[in-house]
Amino acid sequence: MENLDENIESNVGLMEREESTMSSVLSFQIEKEILLNGLKIVERATAQKGLQPVLANILIEAESKTKLNLYATDFDLTIITSVEAQVSGLGKITLPAKKLLDIVSRLNDGIINFELNNTTMTITSGKSKFEILGISANEFPQIEYVTDEDSEVDIDLKPFVIGIKEAGFAAASYESNNNLLSGVVCDINKNVLEIASTDGNRLARARKIVSNKDDKTIKLILPAKVLQEFLKISYFMEDDSIKLYTKNNKIMIKSDNITMISNLMNGQYPQYNKLIPQSLPKEARINVSKMISALERVSTMVNEKTSIVKLSFTQNSLSLMADTPESGNSEDQIDITYSGEDILIAFNYKYLLDCFKNIDSENMIICMNTNLSATIIKPDNEEDFIYLIMPVQIR
Amino acid sequence: MENLDENIESNVGLMEREESTMSSVLSFQIEKEILLNGLKIVERATAQKGLQPVLANILIEAESKTKLNLYATDFDLTIITSVEAQVSGLGKITLPAKKLLDIVSRLNDGIINFELNNTTMTITSGKSKFEILGISANEFPQIEYVTDEDSEVDIDLKPFVIGIKEAGFAAASYESNNNLLSGVVCDINKNVLEIASTDGNRLARARKIVSNKDDKTIKLILPAKVLQEFLKISYFMEDDSIKLYTKNNKIMIKSDNITMISNLMNGQYPQYNKLIPQSLPKEARINVSKMISALERVSTMVNEKTSIVKLSFTQNSLSLMADTPESGNSEDQIDITYSGEDILIAFNYKYLLDCFKNIDSENMIICMNTNLSATIIKPDNEEDFIYLIMPVQIR
């Protein structure tokens, strides 16, 4: 018992010494631009219109002398980032995200001082001074990290980002959130990353070569909405690689400075690879930007109820046509490389445009069979990115 | 009678010769950019959601070999412009403004061909072809020109435009369309143009020296909405001067290539010049951009119900303050030139910002009397532009 008492005393002594250099209340200094970046990253996960006011706030936590952690969550998505700061008092508080961003973005460049008094944060910079009422950090939801080391997959960031851009957009719209088709498949198999999405009418699939540290294999379905947020945040990630951790239907995506936590989607995703025909008899080679211009012109006269544009492929020529009974019709023609049988085929022009605008190549290949069977669109380069689209029946 | 018959015969002969070089249906060729500009000018006067479909259309009229007239009207405002074209068949038709703009803007640069068949216009350019259904020109409202030569006022365009920008924004919002305060006063007296507007809480007045051909005197109240459209269109006006014609509560503003016709507002506009104090005891000289930055920072914590910001003027210093009971407060300070008595005065910050952003001068002067009396804001230069604003009582 004596020993224990001694220990307690010496600990108290240690704490007092620590406090002598540190203030007893949360206080820190930070460069405007650094804080602004950090706030912009986590702000995406706040819930501005929720029932819990604290979810519209960002949790600011100083737990070391040189670093600040920023947290935001709307329960579906949690984002955490760390920013460099000079901390003179440890502690934490939540502050309204929108107000804080408004203030920080309007301050002059330079150092901003933060000092907490109960739940009121005093912010000063030059001759500008603000007092904002926060909400106690105790009311902020507990962050559930996913830290199962066994599940760790360590892959390149860049191909992951490009893959999502190329193949994440074909998912069903966000409104149908419980539908598995509103998710995007991320399938990592040794050094091949496959990203795919489909809404039932069209399908996008990209395959990328990645360095995968331990040759792990993992197949996940992430909400498309979360991946869209990930894309925006990825610009701020300082590493070349990210780590994925999964457990109990949760995923944590971690770079050196940013952590995202999201729910995973569960269920049997359609076996989309079986739907993709291996070879198709008719192949047309088309300049992407000319095709986009022609399609945009022709679509001015598209029937808004059906969005149908007809494509007529003949020897080295493609005609595009649209019409609306009460408004009129449109037609355009571009030169292509095509030597197959003549074919007249119709599509929803929006699906075509979505796809064409994602093709980062001068030319593309459209591969067809009949005007009722799955059509493949792919870039005319080495990239393994394909797009499958079902034609619309022409009446 | 013989003579008359002869005349008729020879006239018929002339018409036949005319027709031999001209098609009997409306047809013309026009440079894409020229047509696009013309459509953008008149489009502003179309009524997209009205009960009369023809008001969503632009009337296209070819009445000479080299010129096309474009017309649009929503009854409140009529805009007419002329564009160069190569006309091979005279005639007229109305075509849907939105569709036409969509099509023309997406065509490749170069010549566009138009040819009418009944009410269907065929548009071709390169390999692009469109057929749009129009509405007969007979259904388009008769344009009522205002051509009373006696009423003609011929003034410089540029000071007119600047005057409207400086002093047209303080009018009451457009929703209160029957209210005279939603109008802007244009008072031309020999070579002085005065533009003024007020919504009852604030007042803006600009005076400009203009060349006024016949030293005419005229005082008009124009709908603020019409003048905002005029501002946008003025960029396309090719002359240095415009002509104003008025008759029966209508005004026609005419430049070489563009004509606008609008209703005038009628009634006894407040005698605003009597409200403007000639001299005020307290004068502060303030850097405009520093003031805008400080005001924008402080306004982050403004009470959204009142929009009140407090200004405290002391010796060469101005403090700005705002607060919202449940959110917090803000304060900023800027150095100014001020040697008057200390004064604490409050304003709706939106009115201040509207004004400051219109001041095209490095510094401005704020002239005050008491914190309940009219305050004057004006640029610190030769421009005769003043802004009057009523303070808000501080509780």
Side-chain angles (χ1 to χ4, degrees), chain A residues 5-47:
Chain A
D5 275 350
E6 262 177 37
N7 274 339
I8 289 170
E9 266 178 22
S10 81
N11 275 344
V12 170
L14 198 71
M15 281 164 70
E16 274 165 358
R17 277 197 295 280
E18 180 81 32
E19 274 172 0
S20 70
T21 61
M22 291 290 257
S23 158
S24 62
V25 293
L26 173 62
S27 63
F28 57 90
Q29 299 193 310
I30 187 165
E31 194 62 68
K32 175 198 163 168
E33 282 305 319
I34 291 177
L35 179 58
L36 193 55
N37 267 346
L39 295 175
K40 281 182 185 164
I41 292 168
V42 296
E43 185 223 4
R44 304 185 169 282
T46 58

Side-chain angles (χ1 to χ4, degrees), chain B residues 371-384:
Chain B
N371 62 9
L372 291 176
S373 53
T375 296
I376 297 283
I377 299 163
K378 58 189 184 187
D380 180 26
N381 62 19
E382 294 302 301
E383 291 297 315
D384 192 349

